[in-house]
Amino acid sequence: MAKVISTLFISADGVAEIDPDWHFPYFDDNMGRAVTEDYDTSDVLLIARPTYDSFAGAWPEREAAGGDDAPFAKQLGDMRKVVVSRQPLEFTWRNSELVQGDLVDAVTALKADAGIKGILIPGSISVVQQLLAAGLVDELRLLVHPVAARKGRKLFDEGDSPYHLRVTATEAYPTGVLRVIYAPAGAPGQAGYDDAKEQLAAGS
């Protein structure tokens, strides 16, 4: 079954709505490598309409320009892109399609498709929030910046139940950015919690 992986730039106070003023000063080769690794996990991009508009407005031109980032731009162009939008779209970027029907049902079907290696959600906070609530996110890959943004949309919205997570990998960069990879974990007292602790201990 294909994994659903969310990859996000995030501030120390949980803001995942990127402001270039606090994001770009911390972007270096280490972060670029992490982003490349995240994209290499998957062959399908699942993105919200604003993320699609941003990507489609930049990456095709970069691919055509043939600069240093043209290979990555081509990789994005070649990937299947499933876009979540309430409105019809006229796609200008190749391999793009509109999600069909209910988001949860559509992602469940994508996960079960034997021809799909993995499903990556870059940004797209609303999509991630809906799939977290449905229990369909297999990994959260966060690049935590050493800054308190103090404004902007946060990754975790308010709800009745906490999300219990276990850390599967961490990495610290010279800029102060922390790369943290989380997977879902059972809550204390629930089935799967002890197994998660044992797996974490075995990897330490």
Side-chain angles (χ1 to χ4, degrees):
M1 182 170 285
K3 278 188 175 181
V4 173
I5 297 174
S6 165
T7 178
L8 289 157
F9 304 124
I10 192 167
S11 68
D13 57 344
V15 173
E17 182 180 351
I18 298 175
D19 184 331
D21 288 342
W22 63 254
H23 166 59
F24 283 112
Y26 295 100
F27 196 98
D28 65 356
D29 290 343
N30 293 296
M31 192 182 292
R33 171 182 51 79
V35 169
T36 298
E37 289 176 2
D38 292 345
Y39 277 86
D40 286 345
T41 65
S42 304
D43 47 8
V44 173
L45 290 184
L46 178 66
I47 47 181
R49 169 72 180 271
T51 303
Y52 175 82
D53 287 343
S54 175
F55 280 23
W59 289 112
E61 292 182 4
R62 293 182 185 181
E63 181 180 354
D68 291 342
D69 56 2
F72 182 67
K74 182 181 184 305
Q75 179 183 353
L76 293 182
D78 289 343
M79 294 178 75
R80 179 183 175 188
K81 291 166 283 291
V82 180
V83 184
V84 181
S85 174
R86 293 186 178 89
Q87 303 296 327
L89 286 173
E90 291 188 10
F91 293 110
T92 58
W93 199 12
R94 68 182 184 277
N95 299 323
S96 300
E97 63 191 74
L98 194 65
V99 70
Q100 297 299 315
D102 177 76
L103 174 62
V104 170
D105 291 342
V107 173
T108 300
L110 288 171
K111 282 173 66 73
D113 188 332
I116 293 175
K117 177 176 72 173
I119 303 152
L120 187 69
I121 312 171
S124 306
I125 302 170
S126 62
V127 173
V128 177
Q129 288 175 340
Q130 292 176 68
L131 297 182
L132 277 171
L136 290 175
V137 176
D138 298 293
E139 285 187 3
L140 282 172
R141 297 190 171 204
L142 306 182
L143 287 160
V144 185
H145 296 50
V147 58
R150 303 184 66 195
K151 62 180 180 179
R153 191 173 182 185
K154 294 191 174 184
L155 169 59
F156 298 108
D157 54 0
E158 293 189 4
D160 296 329
S161 302
Y163 294 125
H164 293 273
L165 307 170
R166 61 184 175 91
V167 176
T168 62
T170 61
E171 190 176 5
Y173 301 149
T175 57
V177 170
L178 299 177
R179 187 188 190 196
V180 186
I181 300 179
Y182 292 103
Q190 291 181 349
Y193 178 70
D194 290 337
D195 290 343
K197 288 199 298 182
E198 289 175 5
Q199 291 174 19
L200 183 57
S204 60

